[in-house]
Structure formats: structure tokens, C-alpha cells
Coordinates of all heavy atoms in Angstrom, one line a residue:
M268 N 23.7 -11.8 8.4 CA 24.3 -12.2 9.6 C 25.6 -11.6 9.8 O 26.5 -11.8 9.0 CB 24.3 -13.8 9.7 CG 24.8 -14.3 11.0 SD 24.7 -16.1 11.0 CE 26.0 -16.7 10.1
N269 N 25.8 -10.9 10.8 CA 27.1 -10.3 11.2 C 27.6 -11.0 12.5 O 26.9 -10.9 13.5 CB 27.0 -8.7 11.4 CG 26.6 -8.1 10.2 OD1 27.0 -8.4 9.1 ND2 25.7 -7.1 10.3
A270 N 28.7 -11.6 12.4 CA 29.2 -12.3 13.7 C 30.7 -12.5 13.5 O 31.3 -12.6 12.5 CB 28.5 -13.6 13.8
R271 N 31.3 -12.8 14.7 CA 32.6 -13.1 14.8 C 32.6 -14.3 15.8 O 32.0 -14.2 16.9 CB 33.5 -12.0 15.4 CG 34.9 -12.3 15.5 CD 35.7 -11.1 16.1 NE 36.8 -11.6 16.8 CZ 36.9 -11.9 18.1 NH1 35.8 -11.8 18.8 NH2 37.9 -12.4 18.6
Y272 N 33.4 -15.4 15.5 CA 33.3 -16.6 16.3 C 34.7 -17.0 16.6 O 35.6 -16.9 15.8 CB 32.6 -17.7 15.6 CG 31.3 -17.3 15.2 CD1 30.9 -17.1 13.9 CD2 30.2 -17.3 16.1 CE1 29.7 -16.7 13.5 CE2 29.0 -16.9 15.8 CZ 28.7 -16.6 14.5 OH 27.4 -16.2 14.1
D273 N 35.0 -17.3 17.9 CA 36.2 -17.8 18.3 C 36.1 -19.3 18.5 O 35.7 -19.9 19.5 CB 36.6 -17.2 19.7 CG 36.9 -15.7 19.6 OD1 37.5 -15.3 18.6 OD2 36.5 -15.0 20.5
W274 N 36.4 -20.0 17.4 CA 36.2 -21.5 17.3 C 37.6 -22.1 17.2 O 38.5 -21.6 16.7 CB 35.4 -21.9 16.1 CG 34.0 -21.6 16.1 CD1 33.3 -21.0 17.0 CD2 33.1 -21.8 15.0 NE1 31.9 -20.9 16.6 CE2 31.8 -21.4 15.4 CE3 33.2 -22.4 13.8 CZ2 30.7 -21.5 14.6 CZ3 32.1 -22.5 13.0 CH2 30.8 -22.1 13.4
T275 N 37.6 -23.3 17.8 CA 38.8 -24.2 17.6 C 38.6 -24.8 16.1 O 37.5 -24.8 15.5 CB 38.9 -25.3 18.5 OG1 37.8 -26.2 18.4 CG2 39.0 -24.7 20.0
I276 N 39.7 -25.2 15.6 CA 39.6 -25.8 14.3 C 38.7 -27.1 14.3 O 38.0 -27.4 13.3 CB 41.1 -26.2 13.7 CG1 41.0 -26.6 12.3 CG2 41.7 -27.3 14.5 CD1 40.7 -25.5 11.3
E277 N 38.7 -27.8 15.4 CA 37.9 -28.9 15.5 C 36.4 -28.5 15.5 O 35.5 -29.3 15.0 CB 38.2 -29.8 16.8 CG 39.5 -30.5 16.7 CD 40.7 -29.5 17.2 OE1 40.4 -28.3 17.6 OE2 41.8 -29.9 17.1
E278 N 36.0 -27.5 16.3 CA 34.6 -27.0 16.2 C 34.2 -26.6 14.9 O 33.1 -26.9 14.4 CB 34.5 -25.8 17.2 CG 34.7 -26.3 18.7 CD 34.9 -25.1 19.6 OE1 35.0 -23.9 19.1 OE2 34.8 -25.3 20.8
M279 N 35.1 -25.9 14.1 CA 34.7 -25.5 12.8 C 34.6 -26.7 11.9 O 33.6 -26.7 11.1 CB 35.8 -24.5 12.3 CG 35.5 -23.9 10.9 SD 36.8 -22.8 10.3 CE 37.0 -21.7 11.7
R280 N 35.4 -27.6 12.0 CA 35.3 -28.8 11.2 C 34.0 -29.5 11.4 O 33.3 -30.0 10.5 CB 36.4 -29.8 11.5 CG 37.7 -29.3 10.9 CD 38.8 -30.2 11.2 NE 40.1 -29.8 10.6 CZ 41.3 -30.3 10.9 NH1 41.4 -31.2 11.9 NH2 42.4 -29.9 10.2
L281 N 33.6 -29.7 12.7 CA 32.3 -30.3 13.0 C 31.1 -29.6 12.5 O 30.3 -30.2 11.9 CB 32.2 -30.6 14.6 CG 30.9 -31.3 14.9 CD1 30.8 -32.6 14.3 CD2 30.8 -31.4 16.5
V282 N 31.1 -28.3 12.6 CA 30.0 -27.5 12.1 C 29.9 -27.7 10.6 O 28.9 -27.9 10.0 CB 30.1 -26.0 12.5 CG1 29.1 -25.2 11.6 CG2 29.8 -25.8 13.9
L283 N 31.0 -27.6 9.9 CA 31.0 -27.8 8.4 C 30.7 -29.2 8.0 O 30.0 -29.4 7.0 CB 32.4 -27.4 7.8 CG 32.8 -25.9 8.0 CD1 34.2 -25.6 7.6 CD2 31.8 -25.0 7.3
F284 N 31.1 -30.2 8.8 CA 30.8 -31.5 8.5 C 29.2 -31.7 8.6 O 28.6 -32.4 7.8 CB 31.5 -32.4 9.6 CG 31.4 -33.9 9.3 CD1 32.1 -34.5 8.4 CD2 30.5 -34.7 10.1 CE1 32.1 -35.9 8.2 CE2 30.5 -36.1 9.9 CZ 31.2 -36.7 8.9
L285 N 28.6 -31.1 9.7 CA 27.2 -31.2 9.9 C 26.4 -30.4 8.8 O 25.4 -30.9 8.3 CB 26.8 -30.7 11.2 CG 27.3 -31.6 12.4 CD1 27.0 -30.9 13.8 CD2 26.7 -33.0 12.4
I286 N 26.9 -29.3 8.4 CA 26.3 -28.5 7.3 C 26.2 -29.3 6.1 O 25.3 -29.3 5.4 CB 27.0 -27.1 7.2 CG1 26.6 -26.2 8.3 CG2 26.6 -26.5 5.8 CD1 27.5 -24.9 8.4
A287 N 27.3 -30.0 5.8 CA 27.4 -30.8 4.5 C 26.3 -31.9 4.5 O 26.0 -32.4 3.5 CB 28.8 -31.4 4.4
K288 N 25.9 -32.4 5.8 CA 24.8 -33.4 5.8 C 23.4 -32.8 5.5 O 22.5 -33.6 5.2 CB 24.8 -34.0 7.2 CG 26.1 -34.7 7.6 CD 26.0 -36.0 7.2 CE 27.3 -36.8 7.6 NZ 27.4 -38.0 6.9
I289 N 23.2 -31.5 5.5 CA 21.8 -31.0 5.4 C 21.4 -31.1 4.0 O 22.1 -30.8 3.0 CB 21.8 -29.5 5.9 CG1 22.2 -29.4 7.4 CG2 20.5 -28.8 5.6 CD1 22.3 -28.0 7.9
N290 N 20.2 -31.5 3.9 CA 19.6 -31.7 2.5 C 19.0 -30.3 2.1 O 18.2 -29.7 2.9 CB 18.5 -32.7 2.5 CG 17.9 -33.0 1.1 OD1 18.0 -32.2 0.2 ND2 17.4 -34.2 1.0
P291 N 19.4 -29.7 1.0 CA 18.9 -28.4 0.6 C 17.4 -28.2 0.5 O 16.8 -27.2 0.6 CB 19.6 -28.0 -0.7 CG 20.7 -29.0 -0.8 CD 20.4 -30.2 0.0
S292 N 16.7 -29.3 0.3 CA 15.2 -29.4 0.1 C 14.5 -29.4 1.5 O 13.3 -29.3 1.5 CB 14.8 -30.5 -0.7 OG 15.1 -31.7 -0.1
D293 N 15.3 -29.6 2.6 CA 14.7 -29.6 3.9 C 14.0 -28.3 4.3 O 14.7 -27.2 4.0 CB 15.7 -30.0 5.0 CG 16.1 -31.4 5.0 OD1 15.5 -32.2 4.3 OD2 17.1 -31.7 5.7
I294 N 12.8 -28.3 4.7 CA 12.2 -27.0 5.1 C 12.0 -26.9 6.6 O 11.5 -25.9 7.1 CB 10.8 -26.9 4.4 CG1 9.8 -28.1 4.7 CG2 10.9 -26.8 2.9 CD1 8.4 -28.0 4.3
D295 N 12.4 -27.9 7.3 CA 12.2 -27.9 8.8 C 13.5 -28.5 9.4 O 14.2 -29.2 8.7 CB 11.0 -28.7 9.2 CG 10.5 -28.3 10.6 OD1 11.2 -27.5 11.3 OD2 9.6 -28.9 11.1
F296 N 13.8 -28.2 10.6 CA 14.9 -28.8 11.4 C 14.6 -30.2 11.6 O 13.5 -30.6 11.9 CB 15.1 -28.0 12.7 CG 15.6 -26.7 12.5 CD1 14.8 -25.6 12.7 CD2 17.0 -26.4 12.0 CE1 15.2 -24.3 12.6 CE2 17.4 -25.1 11.9 CZ 16.6 -24.1 12.1
K297 N 15.6 -31.1 11.5 CA 15.5 -32.4 11.8 C 16.9 -33.0 12.3 O 17.8 -32.4 12.2 CB 15.1 -33.3 10.6 CG 16.1 -33.4 9.5 CD 15.6 -34.3 8.4 CE 16.8 -34.6 7.4 NZ 16.4 -35.5 6.4
P298 N 16.8 -34.0 13.1 CA 18.1 -34.5 13.7 C 18.9 -35.2 12.6 O 18.4 -35.8 11.7 CB 17.6 -35.5 14.7 CG 16.2 -35.9 14.3 CD 15.7 -34.8 13.6
Y299 N 20.2 -35.2 12.7 CA 21.1 -35.8 11.9 C 22.0 -36.7 12.7 O 22.3 -36.4 13.9 CB 22.0 -34.8 11.1 CG 21.2 -34.1 10.0 CD1 20.6 -32.9 10.4 CD2 21.2 -34.6 8.8 CE1 19.9 -32.2 9.4 CE2 20.4 -33.9 7.8 CZ 19.8 -32.7 8.1 OH 19.1 -32.1 7.2
T300 N 22.3 -37.9 12.2 CA 23.1 -38.9 12.9 C 24.5 -38.8 12.3 O 24.6 -39.0 11.0 CB 22.5 -40.2 12.8 OG1 21.2 -40.2 13.4 CG2 23.4 -41.3 13.5
V301 N 25.6 -38.7 13.1 CA 27.0 -38.7 12.6 C 27.6 -39.8 13.5 O 27.6 -39.8 14.7 CB 27.6 -37.4 12.8 CG1 29.1 -37.6 12.5 CG2 26.9 -36.3 12.1
R302 N 28.2 -40.8 12.8 CA 29.0 -41.8 13.5 C 30.3 -41.2 14.0 O 31.0 -40.6 13.2 CB 29.3 -43.1 12.6 CG 27.9 -43.8 12.4 CD 28.1 -45.0 11.5 NE 29.3 -45.7 11.8 CZ 29.9 -46.6 11.1 NH1 29.4 -46.9 9.9 NH2 31.1 -47.1 11.4
I303 N 30.7 -41.4 15.2 CA 32.0 -40.9 15.7 C 33.1 -41.4 14.9 O 34.0 -40.6 14.5 CB 32.2 -41.2 17.2 CG1 31.0 -40.7 18.1 CG2 33.6 -40.8 17.7 CD1 31.1 -39.1 18.2
K304 N 33.0 -42.6 14.6 CA 34.1 -43.3 13.7 C 34.3 -42.6 12.4 O 35.4 -42.3 12.0 CB 33.8 -44.7 13.5 CG 34.9 -45.5 12.8 CD 34.5 -47.0 12.6 CE 35.5 -47.7 11.8 NZ 35.2 -49.1 11.7
D305 N 33.2 -42.2 11.8 CA 33.3 -41.5 10.5 C 33.8 -40.1 10.6 O 34.7 -39.7 9.9 CB 31.9 -41.4 9.8 CG 31.3 -42.7 9.4 OD1 32.0 -43.7 9.3 OD2 30.1 -42.8 9.3
F306 N 33.4 -39.4 11.6 CA 33.9 -38.1 11.9 C 35.4 -38.2 12.2 O 36.2 -37.4 11.7 CB 33.2 -37.4 13.0 CG 33.6 -36.0 13.4 CD1 33.3 -35.0 12.5 CD2 34.4 -35.8 14.4 CE1 33.8 -33.6 12.8 CE2 34.9 -34.5 14.7 CZ 34.6 -33.4 13.9
A307 N 35.8 -39.0 13.1 CA 37.2 -39.1 13.5 C 38.1 -39.6 12.4 O 39.2 -39.0 12.2 CB 37.3 -40.2 14.7
N308 N 37.6 -40.5 11.5 CA 38.4 -40.9 10.4 C 38.5 -39.7 9.4 O 39.6 -39.5 8.9 CB 37.8 -42.1 9.7 CG 38.0 -43.3 10.5 OD1 38.9 -43.5 11.3 ND2 37.1 -44.3 10.2
F309 N 37.4 -39.0 9.1 CA 37.4 -37.9 8.1 C 38.4 -36.8 8.5 O 39.1 -36.3 7.7 CB 36.0 -37.4 7.9 CG 35.9 -36.5 6.8 CD1 35.8 -37.0 5.5 CD2 35.9 -35.1 7.0 CE1 35.7 -36.1 4.4 CE2 35.7 -34.2 5.9 CZ 35.6 -34.8 4.6
F310 N 38.4 -36.5 9.8 CA 39.2 -35.4 10.3 C 40.5 -35.8 11.0 O 41.3 -35.0 11.5 CB 38.4 -34.5 11.2 CG 37.3 -33.7 10.5 CD1 36.0 -34.1 10.6 CD2 37.7 -32.8 9.5 CE1 35.1 -33.4 9.8 CE2 36.7 -32.1 8.8 CZ 35.4 -32.5 9.0
G311 N 40.8 -37.1 11.0 CA 42.1 -37.6 11.5 C 42.3 -37.5 12.9 O 43.4 -37.2 13.5
L312 N 41.2 -37.6 13.7 CA 41.3 -37.6 15.2 C 42.1 -38.8 15.6 O 41.8 -39.9 15.2 CB 39.9 -37.6 15.9 CG 39.2 -36.3 15.7 CD1 37.8 -36.4 16.4 CD2 39.9 -35.1 16.2
K313 N 43.1 -38.7 16.4 CA 43.9 -39.8 16.8 C 43.7 -40.1 18.3 O 43.1 -39.3 19.1 CB 45.4 -39.4 16.6 CG 45.8 -39.0 15.3 CD 45.8 -40.1 14.2 CE 46.2 -39.6 12.9 NZ 45.7 -40.4 11.9
G314 N 44.2 -41.3 18.7 CA 44.1 -41.7 20.1 C 42.9 -42.6 20.3 O 42.1 -42.8 19.5
N315 N 42.9 -43.1 21.6 CA 41.9 -44.0 22.0 C 40.6 -43.3 22.5 O 39.6 -44.0 22.7 CB 42.4 -45.0 23.1 CG 43.5 -45.8 22.6 OD1 43.6 -46.2 21.4 ND2 44.4 -46.2 23.4
D316 N 40.7 -42.0 22.7 CA 39.6 -41.3 23.3 C 38.8 -40.4 22.3 O 38.6 -39.2 22.5 CB 40.0 -40.5 24.4 CG 38.9 -39.9 25.3 OD1 37.8 -40.5 25.2 OD2 39.1 -38.9 25.9
Q317 N 38.5 -41.0 21.0 CA 37.8 -40.2 20.1 C 36.4 -39.8 20.5 O 36.0 -38.7 20.2 CB 37.7 -41.1 18.7 CG 39.1 -41.3 18.1 CD 39.0 -42.2 17.0 OE1 38.1 -42.9 16.8 NE2 40.1 -42.3 16.2
Y318 N 35.7 -40.6 21.3 CA 34.4 -40.3 21.8 C 34.6 -39.0 22.7 O 33.8 -38.1 22.6 CB 33.8 -41.4 22.5 CG 33.0 -42.4 21.6 CD1 33.8 -43.5 21.0 CD2 31.7 -42.3 21.3 CE1 33.1 -44.3 20.2 CE2 31.1 -43.2 20.4 CZ 31.8 -44.2 19.9 OH 31.2 -45.0 19.1
G319 N 35.6 -39.1 23.6 CA 35.8 -38.0 24.5 C 36.2 -36.7 23.8 O 35.7 -35.6 24.2
Q320 N 37.0 -36.8 22.7 CA 37.3 -35.6 21.9 C 36.1 -35.0 21.4 O 35.9 -33.8 21.4 CB 38.3 -36.0 20.9 CG 39.7 -36.4 21.4 CD 40.6 -36.9 20.3 OE1 40.8 -36.2 19.3 NE2 41.2 -38.0 20.5
V321 N 35.2 -35.9 20.7 CA 34.1 -35.2 20.1 C 33.1 -34.8 21.1 O 32.4 -33.7 20.9 CB 33.4 -36.3 19.2 CG1 32.1 -35.8 18.5 CG2 34.4 -36.7 18.0
R322 N 33.0 -35.5 22.3 CA 32.1 -34.9 23.3 C 32.5 -33.5 23.8 O 31.7 -32.7 24.0 CB 32.1 -35.9 24.5 CG 31.2 -37.0 24.3 CD 31.2 -38.0 25.4 NE 30.7 -37.3 26.7 CZ 30.8 -37.7 27.9 NH1 31.4 -38.8 28.1 NH2 30.3 -37.0 28.9
N323 N 33.8 -33.3 23.9 CA 34.3 -32.0 24.3 C 34.0 -30.9 23.2 O 33.6 -29.8 23.5 CB 35.8 -32.0 24.5 CG 36.1 -32.6 25.9 OD1 35.3 -32.6 26.8 ND2 37.3 -33.3 25.9
I324 N 34.1 -31.3 21.9 CA 33.8 -30.4 20.8 C 32.3 -30.0 20.9 O 32.0 -28.8 20.8 CB 34.2 -31.0 19.5 CG1 35.7 -31.2 19.4 CG2 33.7 -30.1 18.3 CD1 36.1 -32.1 18.2
T325 N 31.4 -31.0 21.0 CA 30.0 -30.7 21.0 C 29.6 -29.9 22.2 O 28.8 -29.0 22.1 CB 29.1 -32.0 20.9 OG1 29.5 -32.9 22.0 CG2 29.3 -32.7 19.6
K326 N 30.2 -30.2 23.4 CA 29.9 -29.5 24.6 C 30.3 -28.0 24.4 O 29.5 -27.1 24.8 CB 30.7 -30.1 25.8 CG 30.2 -29.7 27.1 CD 31.1 -30.3 28.2 CE 31.1 -31.8 28.1 NZ 31.9 -32.4 29.3
N327 N 31.4 -27.7 23.8 CA 31.9 -26.3 23.6 C 31.0 -25.6 22.6 O 30.6 -24.4 22.8 CB 33.3 -26.3 23.2 CG 34.2 -26.6 24.3 OD1 33.9 -26.5 25.5 ND2 35.4 -27.2 24.0
L328 N 30.5 -26.4 21.6 CA 29.6 -25.7 20.6 C 28.3 -25.4 21.1 O 27.7 -24.4 20.7 CB 29.5 -26.6 19.4 CG 30.5 -26.6 18.3 CD1 30.3 -27.7 17.3 CD2 30.7 -25.3 17.7
M329 N 27.8 -26.1 22.1 CA 26.5 -25.8 22.7 C 26.6 -24.5 23.6 O 25.6 -23.9 23.9 CB 26.0 -27.0 23.6 CG 25.5 -28.1 22.7 SD 24.7 -29.4 23.7 CE 26.0 -30.6 23.6
K330 N 27.8 -24.1 23.9 CA 27.9 -22.9 24.7 C 28.1 -21.6 23.8 O 28.0 -20.5 24.3 CB 29.3 -23.0 25.6 CG 29.2 -24.1 26.6 CD 30.6 -24.2 27.3 CE 30.6 -25.4 28.2 NZ 32.0 -25.6 28.7
K331 N 28.3 -21.9 22.5 CA 28.5 -20.7 21.6 C 27.1 -20.3 21.0 O 26.4 -21.2 20.5 CB 29.5 -21.1 20.6 CG 30.8 -21.4 21.3 CD 32.0 -21.6 20.4 CE 33.2 -21.9 21.2 NZ 34.4 -21.6 20.6
V332 N 27.0 -19.0 20.9 CA 25.6 -18.5 20.4 C 25.9 -17.7 19.2 O 26.8 -16.9 19.1 CB 25.0 -17.6 21.5 CG1 23.8 -17.0 21.0 CG2 24.7 -18.4 22.8
M333 N 25.0 -17.8 18.2 CA 25.0 -17.1 17.0 C 23.8 -16.0 17.2 O 22.8 -16.4 17.6 CB 24.6 -18.0 15.8 CG 24.3 -17.4 14.5 SD 24.0 -18.5 13.1 CE 23.1 -19.8 13.9
E334 N 24.1 -14.8 16.8 CA 23.1 -13.8 16.8 C 22.6 -13.4 15.4 O 23.5 -13.2 14.5 CB 23.5 -12.5 17.5 CG 23.6 -12.7 19.0 CD 23.8 -11.3 19.7 OE1 24.1 -10.3 19.0 OE2 23.6 -11.4 20.9
L335 N 21.4 -13.4 15.1 CA 20.8 -13.1 13.9 C 20.1 -11.7 13.9 O 19.2 -11.6 14.9 CB 19.9 -14.1 13.3 CG 20.5 -15.5 13.2 CD1 19.4 -16.5 12.9 CD2 21.6 -15.6 12.1
D336 N 20.5 -10.8 13.2 CA 19.8 -9.5 13.1 C 18.6 -9.6 12.2 O 18.7 -9.7 11.0 CB 20.7 -8.3 12.7 CG 21.7 -8.0 13.7 OD1 21.4 -8.1 14.9 OD2 22.9 -7.7 13.3
L337 N 17.4 -9.6 12.8 CA 16.2 -9.7 12.0 C 15.4 -8.4 12.0 O 15.7 -7.5 12.9 CB 15.2 -10.8 12.7 CG 15.9 -12.2 12.8 CD1 14.9 -13.1 13.6 CD2 16.2 -12.8 11.5
E338 N 14.5 -8.2 11.1 CA 13.8 -6.9 11.1 C 13.1 -6.7 12.4 O 13.0 -5.5 12.8 CB 12.8 -6.9 9.9 CG 13.4 -6.8 8.6 CD 12.4 -6.8 7.4 OE1 11.2 -6.4 7.7 OE2 12.8 -7.0 6.3
E339 N 12.5 -7.7 13.0 CA 11.8 -7.5 14.3 C 12.6 -7.6 15.5 O 12.1 -7.4 16.6 CB 10.7 -8.5 14.3 CG 11.1 -10.0 14.4 CD 11.4 -10.6 13.0 OE1 11.2 -9.9 12.0 OE2 11.6 -11.8 13.0
G340 N 14.0 -7.8 15.4 CA 14.8 -7.8 16.5 C 16.0 -8.7 16.4 O 16.3 -9.1 15.2
I341 N 16.5 -9.2 17.4 CA 17.7 -10.1 17.4 C 17.3 -11.4 17.9 O 16.6 -11.6 18.9 CB 18.9 -9.5 18.3 CG1 19.3 -8.2 17.7 CG2 19.9 -10.5 18.4 CD1 20.4 -7.4 18.6
L342 N 17.7 -12.5 17.2 CA 17.5 -13.9 17.5 C 18.8 -14.5 17.9 O 19.8 -14.4 17.2 CB 16.9 -14.7 16.4 CG 16.7 -16.1 16.6 CD1 15.7 -16.4 17.7 CD2 16.2 -16.8 15.3
Q343 N 18.9 -15.1 19.1 CA 20.1 -15.8 19.6 C 19.8 -17.3 19.5 O 18.8 -17.8 20.1 CB 20.4 -15.4 21.0 CG 20.9 -13.9 21.2 CD 21.2 -13.6 22.6 OE1 20.5 -14.1 23.5 NE2 22.2 -12.7 22.8
V344 N 20.8 -18.0 18.9 CA 20.6 -19.4 18.7 C 21.9 -20.1 19.0 O 23.0 -19.7 18.5 CB 20.2 -19.7 17.2 CG1 20.0 -21.2 17.0 CG2 18.9 -18.9 16.8
A345 N 21.9 -21.2 19.7 CA 23.1 -22.0 19.9 C 23.4 -22.7 18.6 O 22.5 -23.2 17.9 CB 22.8 -23.1 21.0
W346 N 24.7 -22.9 18.4 CA 25.2 -23.5 17.2 C 24.8 -25.1 17.2 O 24.5 -25.6 16.1 CB 26.7 -23.4 17.0 CG 27.0 -22.1 16.3 CD1 27.5 -21.0 16.9 CD2 26.9 -21.9 14.9 NE1 27.7 -20.0 16.0 CE2 27.4 -20.5 14.8 CE3 26.6 -22.6 13.8 CZ2 27.4 -19.9 13.5 CZ3 26.6 -22.0 12.6 CH2 27.1 -20.7 12.5
L347 N 24.7 -25.6 18.3 CA 24.3 -27.0 18.4 C 23.2 -27.1 19.5 O 23.6 -26.8 20.7 CB 25.6 -27.8 18.7 CG 25.5 -29.3 18.6 CD1 25.1 -29.8 17.2 CD2 26.8 -30.0 19.1
A348 N 22.1 -27.6 19.1 CA 21.0 -27.7 20.1 C 21.3 -28.8 21.1 O 21.0 -28.7 22.3 CB 19.7 -27.9 19.4
H349 N 21.7 -30.0 20.6 CA 22.0 -31.1 21.6 C 22.8 -32.1 20.8 O 22.9 -32.1 19.6 CB 20.7 -31.7 22.1 CG 19.9 -32.5 21.1 ND1 18.9 -31.9 20.3 CD2 19.9 -33.8 20.8 CE1 18.4 -32.7 19.6 NE2 18.9 -33.9 19.8
A350 N 23.4 -33.0 21.6 CA 24.2 -34.1 21.1 C 23.8 -35.3 21.9 O 23.8 -35.2 23.1 CB 25.6 -33.9 21.0
Q351 N 23.5 -36.4 21.3 CA 23.2 -37.7 22.0 C 24.3 -38.7 21.6 O 24.6 -38.9 20.4 CB 21.9 -38.2 21.7 CG 21.5 -39.5 22.4 CD 20.0 -39.9 22.1 OE1 19.3 -39.3 21.3 NE2 19.6 -41.0 22.7
Y352 N 24.9 -39.3 22.6 CA 25.8 -40.4 22.3 C 25.2 -41.8 22.7 O 24.8 -41.9 23.9 CB 27.1 -40.1 23.1 CG 27.8 -38.9 22.6 CD1 27.5 -37.7 23.1 CD2 28.7 -39.0 21.6 CE1 28.1 -36.5 22.6 CE2 29.3 -37.8 21.0 CZ 29.0 -36.5 21.6 OH 29.6 -35.4 21.1
I353 N 25.2 -42.6 21.8 CA 24.6 -44.0 22.0 C 25.8 -44.9 22.3 O 26.7 -45.0 21.5 CB 23.8 -44.4 20.8 CG1 22.7 -43.3 20.6 CG2 23.2 -45.8 21.1 CD1 21.9 -43.5 19.3
K354 N 25.7 -45.7 23.3 CA 26.7 -46.6 23.7 C 26.6 -47.9 22.9 O 25.5 -48.3 22.5 CB 26.7 -47.0 25.2 CG 27.0 -45.8 26.1 CD 26.9 -46.2 27.5 CE 27.3 -45.0 28.3 NZ 27.3 -45.3 29.7

């Protein structure tokens, strides 16, 4: 994979936080649940709008595309397929 990414530190932290949740024995994609409170505490997000801060991070990650050079061509994939916030 050859790529260059213009990420904010918060976007990079979220991606690494999610990667750490992946079980190495998983053979298929599956949804992962992350509590906003856990993410905010772990990364020191401050203020009353932690949900809004994380929503902006996930929204921006969904706009960023990773390109994989495969033998049969190029595959473009969004870093984050979707995010659901439960009230």
C-alpha cells in the first residue's frame, strides 16, 4: 500500500483506536462499538461537546479514501464506512 494521508491528530487517534479493537483472528469485516466516553477519556477530549467533536472526526474520515494497488487494479476504500450514534 502506497499512500499519503493528510489527517488531523484526532483522526489518526481514532483510526488507531479502532485498529486496536480488531481481533487478529477475524476473517470478515464486522461492526465495532466504541463508547464516546471511553474514546474521549482515553484521548483527553475536553469540553461539553465530546459527541460533536467525535462526530466531526468520523464525518471527516468518511471523506478520506485509501487506495490499494492490487494485481488486478486499484481498489479505493473509505477509511470509515459508517458511524452510528445512539442517543
Side-chain angles (χ1 to χ4, degrees):
M268 180 172 78
N269 296 320
R271 183 181 149 270
Y272 304 104
D273 294 320
W274 288 359
T275 66
I276 190 70
E277 292 85 5
E278 292 166 351
M279 189 178 303
R280 286 176 176 166
L281 180 58
V282 168
L283 294 174
F284 188 78
L285 294 172
I286 288 171
K288 298 268 182 201
I289 297 172
N290 185 337
S292 64
D293 288 348
I294 58 172
D295 200 1
F296 291 105
K297 68 177 191 176
Y299 288 90
T300 301
V301 176
R302 292 179 39 198
I303 299 292
K304 182 179 179 179
D305 294 341
F306 180 77
N308 287 339
F309 190 78
F310 291 107
L312 295 179
K313 303 291 183 202
N315 295 329
D316 191 26
Q317 294 172 346
Y318 279 87
Q320 290 176 50
V321 175
R322 281 182 60 195
N323 285 332
I324 295 168
T325 57
K326 195 181 307 182
N327 288 334
L328 279 173
M329 285 188 256
K330 297 175 189 174
K331 298 189 182 201
V332 175
M333 167 179 37
E334 282 194 351
L335 302 171
D336 290 322
L337 306 174
E338 288 183 21
E339 62 274 4
I341 295 173
L342 175 64
Q343 294 178 326
V344 181
W346 274 100
L347 190 61
H349 69 275
Q351 179 179 4
Y352 294 88
I353 301 169
K354 295 182 180 182

